[in-house]
Amino acid sequence: MDRAHLEHLRVAIDVSVQAREHGNHPFGAVLVDADGHQVAQAENTVQTDSDVTAHAETNLVRFASGKWSPEKLASHTLYSSCEPCAMCSGAIFWAGIGRVVFALSVERLMEFFDNRPDAPLHLTGSRRLLGSENGVEVLGPALEDEAARAHDGFWT
């Protein structure tokens, strides 16, 4: 994981903090083009939009797929404050985004729920659904302690 990846992940983590400040779940995502320029960012808006599909990554994919073709998005990287869930991984795949880099793993996120049966997650994250066999490079976790701070006290 190089310095540029870590810098973009920190931006995604900052976006997750903003999501929490806006009354949403603490998740954020950033899209970076082939030249390393941030071209879009999105936060989770599940609460404020009353839309269970309004995860940070799907919000970002909706914007990006309306602006760029899958061929163009193949050279882009989506940075996420947390490992994308199954729904978001599907959206990333169908949009044609070529790489995903995430901070907090699904397993580490689940620690905030103390294995509650009502945890709003499924353990099938992007590492299990995407990957080179599906044309998407997946890197992570990285900066888990930094990413976890946005979740401290949120899920209780």
Side-chain angles (χ1 to χ4, degrees), residues 1-2 5 73-80 83-84 89 92-93 96-102 126-140:
M1 189 87 49
D2 66 26
H5 286 316
L73 288 172
S75 66
H76 286 53
T77 301
L78 187 149
Y79 292 87
S80 182
E83 182 175 1
S89 294
I92 291 163
F93 172 80
I97 294 171
R99 180 185 302 131
V100 172
V101 181
F102 66 90
S126 61
R127 286 174 288 164
R128 292 170 187 85
L129 297 171
L130 299 172
S132 57
E133 65 274 0
N134 289 315
V136 182
E137 181 182 7
V138 179
L139 302 173

Side-chain angles (χ1 to χ4, degrees), residues 3-143:
R3 192 173 71 106
H5 286 316
L6 299 177
E7 288 174 7
H8 294 305
L9 275 178
R10 285 190 172 102
V11 174
I13 292 167
D14 289 344
V15 175
S16 76
V17 171
Q18 293 169 17
R20 182 175 177 164
E21 290 170 353
H22 295 145
N24 289 294
H25 302 149
F27 300 100
V30 174
L31 189 65
V32 174
D33 69 14
D35 296 322
H37 299 110
Q38 180 182 317
V39 296
Q41 64 178 261
E43 61 186 54
N44 177 293
T45 58
V46 166
Q47 297 299 104
T48 55
D49 287 351
S50 298
D51 179 354
V52 297
T53 69
H55 292 192
E57 300 89 345
T58 55
N59 287 340
L60 188 62
V61 166
R62 281 186 196 104
F63 171 79
S65 64
K67 189 167 175 125
W68 299 288
S69 69
E71 294 76 24
K72 181 75 172 171
L73 288 172
S75 66
H76 286 53
T77 301
L78 187 149
Y79 292 87
S80 182
S81 64
C82 188
E83 182 175 1
C85 72
M87 175 185 70
C88 294
S89 294
I92 291 163
F93 172 80
W94 290 112
I97 294 171
R99 180 185 302 131
V100 172
V101 181
F102 66 90
L104 191 66
S105 68
V106 169
E107 293 84 4
R108 179 84 182 268
L109 180 63
M110 287 300 291
E111 292 174 13
F112 287 97
F113 295 95
D114 295 325
N115 296 317
R116 292 183 348 212
D118 64 332
L121 301 169
H122 191 277
L123 284 174
T124 304
S126 61
R127 286 174 288 164
R128 292 170 187 85
L129 297 171
L130 299 172
S132 57
E133 65 274 0
N134 289 315
V136 182
E137 181 182 7
V138 179
L139 302 173
L143 304 176

